[in-house]
Amino acid sequence: MTIRREKQETGNGYDRVVGFLREQLLSGELKVGDCLLPERELSAQLGVSRPVLREALRALAMIGAVEIKHGVGTVVKRPGVSMLGEFFSFILAHQSDVIDDVMQARIAIERQAVRLACRRATQSDYDRLAECLQEIIRTIHTPEVGGEADFRFHEAIVNASGSATLISIYQSISALMMRSHLDRREQIIQVEGIEEFLIDHHRAIFAAIVERDEARADELLGRHFEIGADFRRRATIRMAGGAPLAE
């Protein structure tokens, strides 16, 4: 493996090390399982001190990008989704409106995923969606368990997209999305008409995916989130003691 020092080095030593690893992975010069050069050689060629290099490698090890093996060296790893999830959670937790922001990301991911699912879903995907739909129906009167069943249906849509990138992003923020999902479910479950909506709308989305009707599936999913937001608004009014809105 050949390492070329950039003509103009920018950023601090940590940024240089991280940038090097990223570029080597994107170019294909480094792959999962490869071992980096020994510290002495790597620090010299990157133009950073060994303490800075060690600090950067430890930080990369914490997010699962590399593994430091004593007596072997630093080995390139593929970060696990659970590790990425923890990383995203810590970053996003500092935002005051994190739940609403995550919800918007969820909508964007799912609407693209449902279109891809219409093209790529296999019989096993249909079976999984059908199982989730039956679980939604079975647990409709139990907010927490029913909320989890509802979320698993949406997760199955993303998995059916066959897009590794969408699936990874979705899984990495799933803990935050689940929290948002269960909070919303607790709020809206007492609103009149919610149970019929949850069952009928999920059933219609499932049918559109099986029929491979991209436009219909996308429209239904977009409307699904809009109606869900309306139910949440009505639940807020109800909890505040106001009169429930008409259907």
Side-chain angles (χ1 to χ4, degrees):
M1 178 181 66
T2 302
I3 301 176
R4 300 178 299 278
R5 186 186 299 183
E6 297 294 331
K7 292 181 180 179
Q8 290 185 325
E9 296 176 339
T10 59
N12 59 32
Y14 173 84
D15 291 337
R16 206 173 302 154
V17 176
V18 174
F20 155 74
L21 183 61
R22 181 181 61 245
E23 290 170 12
Q24 294 286 304
L25 287 168
L26 289 173
S27 69
E29 292 187 50
L30 271 178
K31 296 180 176 61
V32 174
D34 286 348
C35 195
L36 299 183
L37 290 174
E39 282 186 6
R40 184 185 301 276
E41 295 179 51
L42 192 56
S43 63
Q45 295 199 43
L46 290 178
V48 300
S49 67
R50 293 180 70 179
V52 168
L53 176 64
R54 291 193 192 105
E55 179 186 353
L57 292 178
R58 281 197 297 268
L60 289 168
M62 288 182 66
I63 63 171
V66 299
E67 181 179 4
I68 301 172
K69 296 183 176 182
H70 296 294
V72 176
T74 303
V75 180
V76 178
K77 288 182 60 181
R78 179 179 289 107
V81 170
S82 61
M83 182 67 73
L84 290 175
E86 294 295 334
F87 180 70
F88 277 121
S89 295
F90 276 110
I91 290 178
L92 296 174
H94 294 284
Q95 300 181 24
S96 58
D97 58 347
V98 60
I99 297 301
D100 287 338
D101 196 43
V102 168
M103 186 64 183
Q104 293 306 312
R106 175 188 174 185
I107 293 171
I109 292 170
E110 286 193 29
R111 292 193 67 172
Q112 176 60 19
V114 80
R115 284 186 165 272
L116 291 174
C118 288
R119 304 175 207 169
R120 302 175 177 177
T122 64
Q123 186 58 52
S124 63
D125 292 318
Y126 298 145
D127 293 342
R128 177 58 182 156
L129 284 164
E131 290 173 7
C132 292
L133 180 57
Q134 289 304 309
E135 189 66 7
I136 288 173
I137 296 170
R138 188 182 70 80
T139 61
I140 196 65
H141 300 296
T142 311
E144 184 173 352
V145 179
E148 290 181 7
D150 190 325
F151 184 79
R152 297 307 172 199
F153 179 90
H154 288 263
E155 184 179 53
I157 290 175
V158 178
N159 290 337
S161 73
S163 169
T165 300
L166 287 181
I167 293 169
S168 293
I169 295 173
Y170 197 83
Q171 289 179 343
S172 69
I173 57 175
S174 63
L176 291 170
M177 290 190 295
M178 178 66 85
R179 173 185 169 188
S180 169
H181 197 85
L182 294 180
D183 286 348
R184 289 166 187 265
R185 185 63 169 256
E186 287 283 354
Q187 289 179 350
I188 68 176
I189 197 62
Q190 300 300 324
V191 178
E192 185 180 354
I194 186 61
E195 293 179 358
E196 292 82 359
F197 159 71
L198 289 171
I199 294 173
D200 294 344
H201 231 252
H202 284 100
R203 184 180 284 135
I205 293 169
F206 173 56
I209 295 172
V210 173
E211 293 165 5
R212 299 194 180 276
D213 189 338
E214 287 185 41
R216 177 66 174 159
D218 183 27
E219 176 191 4
L220 281 167
L221 193 56
R223 184 65 179 145
H224 183 80
F225 286 116
E226 289 174 4
I227 296 173
D230 184 59
F231 270 111
R232 187 186 183 196
R233 179 172 59 88
R234 290 162 56 191
T236 302
I237 293 173
R238 183 178 184 277
M239 288 188 294
L245 299 181
E247 293 292 327

